[in-house]
Amino acid sequence: MTAELYCPQCGEDTESLYEGYCEDCCRQNQRELDSHNTCFDRWQSLSSEQREVEIKQATN
């Protein structure tokens, strides 16, 4: 007897889990994490002055 698996993110039945999620949700989560890391790394590379300019542009 095989245990039924379901993805806790989308709620769909799945044959296997990847890091606790179905393959589609796992891939989507990885894309979102990669995007976040790219933005974070870019922000970290900016000088204080560049950050100030971006903050001002975002709030106008």
Side-chain angles (χ1 to χ4, degrees):
M1 178 178 199
T2 17
E4 291 185 33
L5 299 174
Y6 72 96
C7 175
Q9 186 168 328
C10 68
E12 297 292 325
D13 292 335
T14 183
E15 291 187 22
S16 56
L17 296 173
Y18 305 86
E19 299 179 12
Y21 302 96
C22 70
E23 187 174 6
D24 289 341
C25 287
C26 183
R27 286 182 180 173
Q28 178 63 32
N29 292 342
Q30 188 63 53
R31 282 190 298 272
E32 290 177 17
L33 179 60
D34 291 344
S35 175
H36 167 79
N37 288 340
T38 298
C39 290
F40 179 80
D41 291 345
R42 181 186 164 280
W43 182 258
Q44 290 297 100
S45 72
L46 297 177
S47 68
S48 295
E49 293 79 19
Q50 291 169 318
R51 289 179 186 180
E52 287 294 324
V53 168
E54 290 209 10
I55 291 169
K56 285 179 184 177
Q57 289 174 346
T59 57
N60 288 331

